[in-house]
Amino acid sequence: MEQDVMAIVMAAGKGTRMKSKKSKLVQKIYGKEVVKRAVENAEKAGVKDIVAVVGYKKEEVMEVLGENIKYAFQEEMLGTGHAVMQATKYLEGKKGKVLVLNGDVPILRPETLNTLLNKSIENKESATLLTAIYDNPTGYGRIVRDVGGNIEAIVEEKDTTESQKAIKEINAGIYCFDIVELLSALKEIKPNNSQGEYYLTDVIKIMNDKGLKTGAVIVEDNTEILGVNDRIQLEMLTKVLQIRINTEHMRNGVTIEDINNTYIYDDVEIGMDTIIHPNTTIKSGVVIGEDCEIGPNSYIREGCKLANKVKIGSFVEIKKAIIGEGSKVPHLSYMGDCEIGSHCNIGCGTITCNYDGFHKSKTIIGDKSFIGSNTNLVAPVTLGDNSFVAAGSTITEDVPADSLAIARQRQTNKEGWNKNK
Ligand code: UD1
Ligand code: CA
């Protein structure tokens, strides 16, 4: 039987602790918005049918999430249950599972969502929760289990009894529900609690009372379910993501000398035996070959593609640079919008002058070329294979293959000038 798999991302909440003119959901972690990450995690888990429930600053949130997902609107913040109720029109008539995610939980692993989904399907559970064991569970909904270990209910912090407060298993706010059973249970939740809200968490007890099966997956890595409420947590999550990404590259055979001071964004490809020196930033989408050496203190921006054995030394910034095998940019250069062939040497302090105030232009450098130190390459400009540029040149015209280009004032010495001054 064909099963529908959907996701609802709750993204209507306000969040005041960020102290920002923008919604906390559009704050960025490594260049990508918090809520975008939440949606992409569902997409990476294989979910195609995604609904975001938006409310506070909805235009901002929708602009970030784009037109490939569906939207439901929550005008008043009446609780997480109420948020999901706004999306029910998309669930009507469907059979299968729906993942419900918090829009402000950005670094959940897609694998964890799959584990949740698979357990829910295999065990035929009407609700499967993601839970975690916290030493300090303050603020979270507590998971109340019976003597047999079955989940009885989720009790919000403000509604807990003294003994429930001591429970260390908490509700992560990430769920997998049977669509039909969720629709039916949502009709029964009432705002009779200390906050006067419609709690999504109440559906657990409602399902249990109907004799339906519910269960939980305890997350192994507690950092996955961290939410973003203020800028301190924003930094914390960035750190967690940084270490996670760097560790992954190291497992794949990349040497990273200082895991804490290397900033590799999502979706970067780095080949085996490449070495990344400290204080290097590499932006999303960059591709780096094998046996390269990058940094220290270098900045590899969007659109760069480095072949094998490329060296990018210290204090170098490159952007949209396609660099051929064995080429070197060893020190203090800016190479933007350029194609550099193989086995080139780009001398210290070389700059591609790629912007005239209106347009970006390209610099093309042929194989085996040598660019002397402190050269300005005023784009658009093309240097043929095996060309040689004298140090200190400002190159404004194309250089034919196998040629020497010198573009600087000839030196004059005024003898005795400084002595007689
Ligand atoms: C919720 C859970 C709690 C869990 C915690 C985990 C409920 C009742 N409680 O608590 O058990 O431990 O998450 O973080 O669900 N939102 C809306 N509209 C609303 C209210 C919330 O869209 O009317 C969105 C928020 O933007 C947020 C998410 O739902 O993304 C969770 O809301 P939040 O207020 O943070 O839930 P908690 O009260 O912390
Ligand atoms: Ca210079």
Side-chain angles (χ1 to χ4, degrees), residues 332 348-351 373-376 392:
L332 297 152
C348 175
T350 298
I351 290 174
S373 296
N374 200 29
T375 291
N376 303 309

Side-chain angles (χ1 to χ4, degrees), residues 10 12-13 74 77-80 83 102-104 140-141 156 171-172 199 201:
M10 295 183 287
Q74 188 189 24
M77 299 305 122
L78 301 179
T80 48
N102 270 357
D104 65 352
Y140 289 91
E156 291 307 296
N171 171 30
Y199 289 168
T201 45

Side-chain angles (χ1 to χ4, degrees), residues 241-301:
L241 189 66
Q242 174 196 29
I243 303 300
R244 193 196 284 178
I245 293 173
N246 290 356
T247 304
E248 188 69 24
H249 286 293
M250 286 153 77
R251 285 194 210 289
N252 291 337
V254 177
T255 295
I256 293 178
E257 285 178 334
D258 184 346
I259 193 169
N260 292 305
N261 293 294
T262 300
Y263 311 89
I264 305 175
Y265 283 52
D266 313 70
D267 306 314
V268 169
E269 255 178 65
I270 309 178
M272 208 183 275
D273 292 318
T274 284
I275 300 171
I276 316 284
H277 298 289
N279 273 324
T280 294
T281 299
I282 305 174
K283 299 296 274 290
S284 291
V286 166
V287 179
I288 297 172
E290 298 187 354
D291 303 301
C292 294
E293 210 170 318
I294 316 285
N297 304 301
S298 279
Y299 186 19
I300 316 300
R301 289 171 55 196

Side-chain angles (χ1 to χ4, degrees), residues 53-175:
V53 182
V54 295
Y56 178 73
K57 300 234 170 175
K58 58 175 184 285
E59 292 78 17
E60 239 175 46
V61 175
M62 290 167 72
E63 183 165 348
V64 163
L65 295 181
E67 286 166 8
N68 289 335
I69 64 163
K70 296 169 182 160
Y71 293 96
F73 301 99
Q74 188 189 24
E75 302 301 337
E76 268 184 294
M77 299 305 122
L78 301 179
T80 48
H82 184 257
V84 174
M85 285 175 199
Q86 310 312 304
T88 50
K89 65 172 176 194
Y90 295 112
L91 303 179
E92 307 284 358
K94 298 251 167 82
K95 283 193 171 60
K97 298 287 180 183
V98 60
L99 294 165
V100 176
L101 313 177
N102 270 357
D104 65 352
V105 176
I107 62 166
L108 188 71
R109 286 192 171 89
E111 294 82 359
T112 302
L113 285 178
N114 278 321
T115 306
L116 198 65
L117 183 62
N118 292 339
K119 177 168 191 287
S120 188
I121 293 171
E122 278 161 27
N123 294 6
K124 300 195 168 61
E125 291 168 354
S126 296
T128 312
L129 323 169
L130 192 65
T131 69
I133 311 298
Y134 274 10
D135 285 339
N136 178 10
T138 309
Y140 289 91
R142 307 296 205 283
I143 306 298
V144 181
R145 292 182 185 256
D146 65 18
V147 280
N150 302 310
I151 293 171
E152 281 185 335
I154 304 173
V155 182
E156 291 307 296
E157 168 89 22
K158 286 181 181 141
D159 305 306
T160 46
T161 62
E162 269 316 304
S163 65
Q164 287 170 338
K165 267 199 177 59
I167 297 173
K168 287 188 155 50
E169 186 178 9
I170 61 103
N171 171 30
I174 287 148
Y175 320 81

